[in-house]
């Protein structure tokens, strides 16, 4: 029974995420979620207490928990700044390709029409970036003037704005290129010495160092 309940909850969440990402919160009804998932509308109310509850669950499932991604970058043999850059590409790819992450982003943007508090998607994400920047400063990768918490807050907000505007103006196919451009602009301002020369390549990533 527990496995069946988990499967039902997941199918409802994924169906709702697809609809929220495609048409937004206001245009999506419980009946739409029921039809897309193949479950009854009663299942939506039983597992998520209605449309507001499932919207919050979508945000919490992926968009508000980016720190889970950061856990994949705990290898201390890789420099913390490299891990931060790699994390940004993973998050960008999720925002571009994953229906639940895309729905979470749209729901957060539409949070004023949702009649329940929507989780802050940036708190844990910013905390992960703060930790990596603090490690980078200790390792001498960034200038001592860099304040990890303030810098992380600025980077996260700028990054999200970049992803949002790039998709709106050009589509997601160019997102990697635009993110690489952004890191070319951003990384020199973090470095401990004035920027000179080219950017060495990070393993598995575009030239962004």
């Amino acid at each position: 029974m527990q496995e069946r309940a988990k499967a039902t909850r997941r199918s409802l969440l994924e169906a709702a995420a697809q609809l929220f990402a495609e048409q937004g919160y206001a245009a999506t009804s419980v009946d739409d979620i029921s039809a897309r998932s193949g479950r009854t509308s009663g299942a939506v109310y039983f597992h998520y207490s209605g449309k507001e509850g499932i919207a919050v669950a979508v945000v919490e499932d992926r968009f508000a928990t980016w720190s889970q991604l950061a856990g994949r970058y705990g290898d201390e043999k890789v420099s913390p700044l490299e891990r931060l850059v790699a994390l940004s590409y993973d998050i960008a790819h999720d925002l571009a390709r994953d229906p639940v992450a895309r729905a979470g982003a749209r729901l957060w943007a539409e949070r004023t029409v949702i009649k329940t508090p929507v989780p802050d998607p940036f708190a844990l994400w910013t905390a992960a970036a703060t930790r990596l920047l603090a490690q980078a400063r200790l390792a001498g990768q960034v200038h001592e003037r860099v304040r990890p918490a303030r810098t992380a807050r600025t980077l996260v907000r700028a990054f999200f704005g970049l992803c949002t505007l790039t998709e709106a103006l050009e589509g997601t196919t160019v997102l990697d290129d635009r993110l690489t451009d952004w890191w070319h602009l951003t990384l020199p301002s973090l470095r401990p010495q004035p920027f000179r020369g080219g950017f060495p390549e990070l393993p598995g990533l575009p030239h962004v160092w």
Side-chain angles (χ1 to χ4, degrees), residues 38-177:
R39 313 283 180 166
T40 66
S41 58
V44 178
Y45 290 103
F46 178 80
H47 288 282
Y48 291 105
S49 71
K51 189 169 78 164
E52 292 86 356
I54 201 167
V56 170
V58 168
V59 176
E60 290 177 339
D61 185 79
R62 196 70 50 81
F63 190 55
T65 55
W66 295 120
S67 61
Q68 294 176 1
L69 272 176
R72 288 157 48 184
Y73 294 95
D75 186 357
E76 295 185 358
K77 291 180 289 186
V78 179
S79 70
L81 207 53
E82 289 181 46
R83 281 181 271 153
L84 178 63
V85 172
L87 174 61
S88 75
Y89 280 88
D90 265 7
I91 292 174
H93 294 163
D94 265 10
L95 285 172
R97 303 167 188 169
D98 183 85
V100 180
R102 290 176 61 77
R106 182 162 184 173
L107 288 168
W108 186 82
E110 298 176 353
R111 63 194 179 281
T112 57
V113 301
I114 303 174
K115 297 177 182 179
T116 192
V118 175
D120 176 0
F122 303 108
L124 294 176
W125 186 4
T126 302
T130 299
R131 184 172 63 253
L132 289 168
L133 284 168
Q135 293 171 2
R137 192 171 72 168
L138 285 174
Q141 278 196 303
V142 300
H143 198 281
E144 61 181 12
R145 72 173 183 277
V146 171
R147 298 295 180 261
R150 292 184 178 185
T151 304
R153 183 172 60 239
T154 300
L155 288 177
V156 167
R157 295 178 185 186
F159 167 81
F160 183 67
L162 172 77
C163 292
T164 302
L165 285 177
T166 296
E167 178 174 355
L169 297 174
E170 301 179 275
T172 58
T173 58
V174 300
L175 186 55
D176 273 10
D177 289 341

Side-chain angles (χ1 to χ4, degrees), residues 1-8:
M1 290 295 291
Q2 288 183 345
E3 291 303 316
R4 184 177 177 181
K6 287 180 181 178
T8 299

